[in-house]
C-alpha cells in the first residue's frame, strides 16, 4: 500500500506541490517567544538531516528555540544545523544568518524546510546555547 500524497491542480494552470501526511507527533513544549512581534524566515531554511544525530528510535529531532547556523563548507553548504562550537563547517559561527528554530522538527526522513526566528524577543531560559547571546544582541532581545 502506498503512502497517500496530496496535490491540487489549479484551474487555468499551475499546481500546489504534493504533501506527505505524517503522524510523527512531538511532545508538548514550552514556548520560547517573549513577544508576539518577531520576524521569521518561514519556509526559508533547510535543516540538514545528515548533521543531526538520531536517537535510539531513529528520530532526528531538533527542538524549537535551538540556535541554527548556516553550513558554509562541506557537502551540506547552504543548509542549516544546530550551533556547534567544535565544528568547522560554519555551524560554529553565529552570524546575521543565524536564528532560533521556530518549531520542533524531525529530520528522520531527510532534510526539512522550516521557519527560523531572525528578530524578536525570546525567553533566555528557553533557548540554547546561552554562550551565544552576545552575538545575537541587536536582533534578538533576551528576557
Amino acid at each position: 500500500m502506498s503512502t497517500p500524497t496530496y496535490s491540487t491542480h489549479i484551474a487555468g494552470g499551475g499546481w500546489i506541490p504534493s504533501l506527505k501526511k505524517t503522524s510523527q507527533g512531538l511532545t508538548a513544549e514550552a514556548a520560547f517567544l517573549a513577544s508576539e512581534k518577531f520576524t521569521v524566515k518561514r519556509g526559508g531554511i533547510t535543516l540538514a538531516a545528515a548533521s543531526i544525530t538520531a536517537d535510539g528510535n531513529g528520530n532526528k529531532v531538533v527542538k524549537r528555540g535551538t540556535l541554527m547556523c548556516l553550513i558554509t563548507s562541506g557537502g551540506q553548504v547552504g543548509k542549516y544545523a544546530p550551533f556547534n562550537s567544535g565544528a568547522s563547517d560554519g555551524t560554529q559561527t553565529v552570524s546575521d544568518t543565524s536564528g532560533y528554530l521556530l518549531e520542533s522538527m524531525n529530520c528522520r526522513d531527510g532534510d526539512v524546510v522550516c521557519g527560523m526566528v531572525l528578530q524578536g524577543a525570546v525567553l533566555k531560559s528557553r533557548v540554547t546555547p546561552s554562550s551565544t547571546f552576545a552575538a545575537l544582541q541587536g536582533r534578538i532581545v533576551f528576557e
Side-chain angles (χ1 to χ4, degrees), residues 67 69 83 92-100 118 129-142:
L67 180 62
C69 296
F83 171 79
Q92 75 282 5
T93 305
V94 179
S95 69
D96 60 349
T97 61
S98 301
Y100 291 104
L118 294 172
S130 60
S131 62
T132 61
F133 289 175
L136 293 165
Q137 286 181 342
R139 290 190 299 121
I140 303 288
V141 176
F142 298 93

Side-chain angles (χ1 to χ4, degrees), residues 55-110:
D55 65 13
N57 296 319
N59 292 312
K60 294 183 171 187
V61 176
V62 182
K63 293 189 176 191
R64 72 171 128 182
T66 299
L67 180 62
M68 305 304 295
C69 296
L70 182 64
I71 299 172
T72 57
S73 66
Q76 302 292 313
V77 171
K79 297 178 184 178
Y80 282 76
F83 171 79
N84 181 350
S85 61
S88 61
D89 63 355
T91 58
Q92 75 282 5
T93 305
V94 179
S95 69
D96 60 349
T97 61
S98 301
Y100 291 104
L101 191 63
L102 182 61
E103 300 169 296
S104 294
M105 293 290 155
N106 189 343
C107 297
R108 176 185 187 130
D109 296 326

Side-chain angles (χ1 to χ4, degrees), residues 1-18:
M1 184 173 188
S2 65
T3 302
T5 57
Y6 304 91
S7 65
T8 305
H9 295 279
I10 300 171
W15 57 278
I16 298 172
S18 297

Side-chain angles (χ1 to χ4, degrees), residues 6-73:
Y6 304 91
S7 65
T8 305
H9 295 279
I10 300 171
W15 57 278
I16 298 172
S18 297
L19 302 174
K20 184 171 86 173
K21 186 177 179 181
T22 161
S23 60
Q24 294 176 358
L26 296 172
T27 59
E29 302 170 357
F32 71 96
L33 294 171
S35 170
E36 293 179 1
K37 296 180 182 180
F38 54 91
T39 303
V40 173
K41 187 174 183 179
R42 184 178 291 280
I45 71 165
T46 301
L47 286 181
S51 67
I52 300 163
T53 305
D55 65 13
N57 296 319
N59 292 312
K60 294 183 171 187
V61 176
V62 182
K63 293 189 176 191
R64 72 171 128 182
T66 299
L67 180 62
M68 305 304 295
C69 296
L70 182 64
I71 299 172
T72 57
S73 66

